[in-house]
């Protein structure tokens, strides 16, 4: 039996989340296949072939996979599972917006359960996952023939990219399915930023309601993030108040991050926010309220006025 | 146009759950239960669509124990027209709920199902996608704006790195993200009115659905605790600690 990993990619390059998902797949036993479904995605497929541990890349190149809509991609995956001679015991996708959109659809079409946000693999059928915003960890055992998992990327160290040209894995084309024609992508508005991606950043500077306005957020945190080469994040309160776009949100319902360094500025530390960042290696909290819950998880806490501390920190690092 | 809205009864958003000492689950005896917040957003969206004259009826559905009636009444207090309880004491997992909802969709023939993107108890984020799969319908998950047109819906979705807009054929399933709307507070007169709205109860067996769990929970444990570190006096000390002790910058 083989293991199928659904690649996260933009047709040109493989997203980092795929590497963590392959690493999770490597904890199971079986040959690892990566599915790259896209349009003009040969570049992404050859990059996938260089991921350490991958035996085979299946690439399905068709216009109707361009935007990775769940309906077409799930149908392709189900057809692949039905036709693969070796058979697939597991299907893994990263727990990204895209993975969470597609994986349950695949599972339902296969009439199996889906296991979300897996943080630990105990055996071929037993997995650990957070529930209640990470306030409890459940160990669940699946009785289904095929296990469909989404993987919390921060829980698995990324698989390496092999340096050799062409990579170790074979690349095999996979016939595209029919376009179901249920969904049309009308447009995407992606936040343009020269800073690292929130999910992959080594350092994150994150701001909360304590900043008081979007203007203050930009004025105080952007220079700090630039001094550190950091990504920018925010609490739900800051997003709801309109300081920054929603894709900045770190927390239970936003992004789950685990950078080397997380600097929380003016964030009180609601449970839902902590759920999204408490696995960071080092947490720094800057807040004027000494009783703020964020200090209970911070390695280094600085009680003070962020309007003085943040610029001071920026100039100390510059 | 009929809108079906699945609503789940969960431990209230503000309750900090405790893991049971025997590791069999979390302690939900005597804690406050409420409607899943994402489902509340879904009810609000459906009711707004009816108020705008686009939808004609909003049907709330809940699957679970008898007490889910309260959740349905809460949905009707926001403005849902009637409720259906699929009553069972069996632990329901997302695939089973999706199958129950499919059976109800076959019967009720809604044009759109609007549900929450995930429940805040099991954090699965699966049921809407699964229902769409079983119905062969398109799905628009994590919606931050929904516009219903003639035979199509235009949905703005929250994705990693920004937003995207999908046009989906109806019937379809939409799941809500946080910023779709801000649910109203139910007023006392509306709470009273909700008590008189129709609420039907069916059993999974009546719908011919197998709800047997596919996953067995072996144990539930506390997450690894993170202990508080040290307080630093000023920026200089913080920078020194980060450079020389934590070695992260």
């Amino acid at each position: 039996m083989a293991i199928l990993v659904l690649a996260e990619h933009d047709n040109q390059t493989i997203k980092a989340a795929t590497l963590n998902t392959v690493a999770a797949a490597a904890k199971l036993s079986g040959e690892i296949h990566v599915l790259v479904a896209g349009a003009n995605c040969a570049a992404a497929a050859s990059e996938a072939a260089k991921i350490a541990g991958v035996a085979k890349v299946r690439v399905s190149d068709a216009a109707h996979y361009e935007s990775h809509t769940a309906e077409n991609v799930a149908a392709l995956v189900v057809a692949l599972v039905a036709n693969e001679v070796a058979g697939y015991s597991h299907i893994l996708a990263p727990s990204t917006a895209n993975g969470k959109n597609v994986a349950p659809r695949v599972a339902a079409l296969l009439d199996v359960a889906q296991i979300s946000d897996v943080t630990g693999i105990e055996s071929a059928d037993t997995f650990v996952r957070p529930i209640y915003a990470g306030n409890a960890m459940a160990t669940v055992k699946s009785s289904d023939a095929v296990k469909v998992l989404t993987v919390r990327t921060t829980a698995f160290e990324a698989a390496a990219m092999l340096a050799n040209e062409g990579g170790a894995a074979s690349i095999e084309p996979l016939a595209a399915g029919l376009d179901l024609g249920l969904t049309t992508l009308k447009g995407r508005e992606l936040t343009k930023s020269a800073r690292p991606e929130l999910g992959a950043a080594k350092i994150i500077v994150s701001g909360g309601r304590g900043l008081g306005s979007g203007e203050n957020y930009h004025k105080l945190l952007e220079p700090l993030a630039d001094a550190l080469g950091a990504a920018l994040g925010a609490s739900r309160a800051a997003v709801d108040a309109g300081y920054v776009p929603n894709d900045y949100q770190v927390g239970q319902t936003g992004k789950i991050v685990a950078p080397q360094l997380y600097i929380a500025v003016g964030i009180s530390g609601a449970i839902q926010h902590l759920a999204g960042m408490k696995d960071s290696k080092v947490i720094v909290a800057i807040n004027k309220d000494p009783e703020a819950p964020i200090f209970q998880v911070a390695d280094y806490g600085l009680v003070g006025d962020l309007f003085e501390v943040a610029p001071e920190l920026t100039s100390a690092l510059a | 146009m009929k809108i079906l809205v699945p609503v789940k009864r969960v431990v209230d958003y503000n309750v900090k759950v405790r893991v049971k000492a025997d590791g069999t689950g979390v302690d939900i005896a005597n804690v406050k239960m409420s409607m899943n917040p994402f489902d509340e957003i879904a009810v609000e969206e459906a009711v707004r669509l009816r108020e705008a004259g686009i939808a004609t009826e909003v049907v709330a559905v809940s699957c679970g124990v008898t007490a889910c009636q309260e959740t349905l009444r809460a949905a009707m207090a926001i403005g849902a027209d009637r409720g259906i309880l699929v009553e069972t004491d069996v632990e329901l997992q997302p695939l089973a709920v999706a199958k129950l909802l499919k059976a109800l969709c076959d019967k009720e023939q809604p044009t759109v199902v609007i549900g929450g993107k995930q429940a805040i108890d099991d954090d699965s984020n699966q049921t809407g996608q699964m229902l769409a799969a079983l119905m062969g319908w398109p799905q628009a998950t994590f919606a931050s704006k929904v516009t219903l047109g003639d035979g199509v819906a235009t949905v703005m979705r929250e994705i990693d790195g920004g937003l995207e807009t999908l046009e989906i054929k109806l019937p379809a399933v939409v799941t809500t993200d946080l910023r779709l709307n801000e649910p109203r507070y139910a007023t006392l007169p509306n709470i009273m009115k909700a008590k008189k709205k129709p609420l039907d109860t069916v059993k999974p067996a009546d719908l011919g659905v197998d709800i047997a769990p596919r996953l067995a929970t072996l144990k539930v444990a506390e997450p690894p605790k993170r202990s508080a570190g040290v307080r630093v006096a000023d920026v200089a000390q913080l920078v020194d600690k980060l450079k020389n002790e934590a070695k992260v910058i």
Side-chain angles (χ1 to χ4, degrees):
Chain A
M1 299 286 267
I3 301 156
L4 184 65
V5 171
L6 309 186
E8 181 107 349
H9 66 95
D10 60 6
N11 296 313
Q12 300 303 311
T13 56
I14 293 290
K15 302 266 185 186
T18 310
L19 305 181
N20 306 96
T21 311
V22 168
K27 296 196 179 289
L28 297 159
S29 63
E31 212 173 61
I32 300 173
H33 299 182
V34 173
L35 174 65
V36 177
N40 302 313
C41 56
S46 63
E47 209 177 288
K50 291 180 191 160
I51 305 172
V54 174
K56 198 188 278 184
V57 175
R58 303 301 303 268
V59 51
S60 195
D61 202 325
H64 57 276
Y65 299 134
E66 158 111 57
S67 48
H68 311 125
T69 51
E71 296 79 1
N72 284 330
V73 174
L76 177 73
V77 173
V78 170
L80 173 59
V81 171
N83 295 324
E84 168 63 33
V85 183
Y88 286 115
S89 57
H90 297 77
I91 301 171
L92 279 69
S95 203
T96 53
N98 187 52
K100 289 189 278 196
N101 192 38
V102 174
R105 191 162 180 117
V106 170
L109 292 173
L110 294 171
D111 191 28
V112 300
Q114 195 243 289
I115 304 161
S116 297
D117 264 329
V118 169
T119 57
I121 293 176
E122 308 250 291
S123 71
D125 62 7
T126 305
F127 311 96
V128 181
R129 60 175 302 262
I131 54 174
Y132 289 94
N135 286 306
M137 304 300 290
T139 304
V140 296
K141 185 179 162 112
S142 166
S143 56
D144 288 316
V146 183
K147 282 83 176 165
V148 180
L149 320 178
T150 59
V151 172
R152 176 162 296 188
T153 53
T154 55
F156 299 90
E157 200 143 332
M161 292 293 283
L162 301 174
N164 59 323
E165 270 311 301
S170 61
I171 300 179
E172 289 181 16
L174 172 68
L178 288 176
D179 182 2
L180 297 173
L182 295 169
T183 317
T184 319
L185 178 69
K186 289 292 177 190
R188 278 197 181 135
E189 296 165 43
L190 300 180
T191 310
K192 293 209 171 41
S193 169
R195 296 189 187 88
E197 207 184 315
L198 199 48
K202 290 206 161 52
I203 302 178
I204 294 172
V205 173
S206 203
R209 191 142 47 190
L211 285 150
S213 72
E215 197 184 322
N216 289 338
Y217 180 100
H218 296 296
K219 196 174 71 192
L220 293 169
L221 298 195
E222 282 175 2
L224 178 56
D226 291 340
L228 288 160
L232 281 170
S235 69
R236 180 181 164 190
V239 173
D240 283 352
Y243 301 175
V244 286
N246 54 56
D247 54 295
Y248 279 50
Q249 187 180 322
V250 172
Q252 178 189 13
T253 59
K255 293 210 173 60
I256 312 285
V257 298
Q260 293 288 303
L261 173 61
Y262 188 93
I263 303 182
V265 183
I267 292 177
S268 63
I271 297 172
Q272 292 77 16
H273 185 74
L274 301 183
M277 45 66 83
K278 66 183 167 57
D279 295 326
S280 305
K281 184 162 173 268
V282 174
I283 296 173
V284 171
I286 299 169
N287 203 300
K288 66 169 189 254
D289 175 10
E291 303 299 322
I294 189 81
F295 287 119
Q296 289 164 20
V297 300
D299 299 279
Y300 303 112
L302 178 50
V303 178
D305 180 0
L306 65 92
F307 293 96
E308 288 164 21
V309 173
E312 205 184 317
L313 183 57
T314 305
S315 45
L317 295 165
Chain B
M1 177 188 290
K2 190 190 284 185
I3 303 179
L4 195 98
V5 185
V7 294
K8 186 175 183 183
R9 179 177 182 263
V10 299
V11 170
D12 187 82
Y13 197 65
N14 292 310
V15 172
K16 187 166 178 355
V17 295
R18 277 206 314 271
V19 171
K20 284 190 204 163
D22 64 1
T24 56
V26 299
D27 194 357
I28 57 166
N30 305 317
V31 304
K32 188 183 175 201
M33 304 295 282
S34 298
M35 191 193 304
N36 178 42
F38 290 100
D39 301 347
E40 223 173 331
I41 294 170
V43 176
E44 175 69 32
E45 192 67 16
V47 170
R48 286 186 191 185
L49 287 163
R50 195 202 54 219
E51 288 168 348
I54 297 163
T56 48
E57 191 184 26
V58 176
V59 183
V61 177
S62 193
C63 304
V65 295
T66 315
C68 293
Q69 284 183 1
E70 295 160 21
T71 317
L72 289 168
R73 294 290 174 203
M76 290 189 274
I78 296 172
D81 298 293
R82 59 185 171 97
I84 302 172
L85 170 63
V86 184
E87 192 180 5
T88 175
D89 290 332
V90 176
E91 178 210 342
L92 291 174
Q93 293 175 351
L95 183 62
V97 176
K99 288 180 176 179
L100 292 170
L101 294 174
K102 178 189 187 300
L104 288 175
C105 283
D106 288 341
K107 207 166 126 195
E108 295 280 340
Q109 301 280 322
T111 306
V112 58
V113 175
I114 307 180
K117 74 165 179 180
Q118 82 190 58
I120 59 165
D121 50 4
D122 63 15
D123 284 327
S124 284
N125 192 336
Q126 299 172 6
T127 306
Q129 295 90 313
M130 287 182 154
L131 173 63
L134 298 177
M135 297 302 293
W137 290 355
Q139 65 189 51
T141 50
F142 325 145
S144 62
K145 190 175 178 213
V146 178
T147 314
L148 293 182
D150 192 14
V152 292
T154 307
V155 180
M156 192 185 271
R157 308 177 55 226
E158 300 197 2
I159 58 168
D160 295 335
L163 294 164
E164 76 173 21
T165 303
L166 287 183
E167 190 177 275
I168 55 173
K169 282 191 179 158
L170 295 174
V173 176
V174 173
T175 72
T176 62
D177 218 316
L178 287 171
R179 279 159 288 271
L180 180 58
N181 61 49
E182 212 165 295
R184 70 195 70 184
Y185 286 101
T187 60
L188 189 59
N190 284 339
I191 292 169
M192 299 311 288
K193 241 198 293 188
K195 291 185 177 167
K196 297 202 178 70
K197 290 183 180 176
L199 195 164
D200 294 330
T201 301
V202 293
K203 302 274 183 191
D206 303 335
L207 299 169
V209 174
D210 171 17
I211 54 166
R214 305 295 186 85
L215 302 175
T217 300
L218 303 184
K219 70 170 183 199
V220 174
E222 293 270 354
K225 277 268 176 295
R226 205 179 166 112
S227 48
V230 296
R231 296 283 167 103
V232 293
D234 53 27
V235 168
Q237 198 190 351
L238 175 62
V239 173
D240 175 63
K241 292 271 191 194
L242 291 177
K243 276 190 176 147
N244 302 317
E245 191 177 88
K247 298 187 168 54
V248 286
I249 58 169

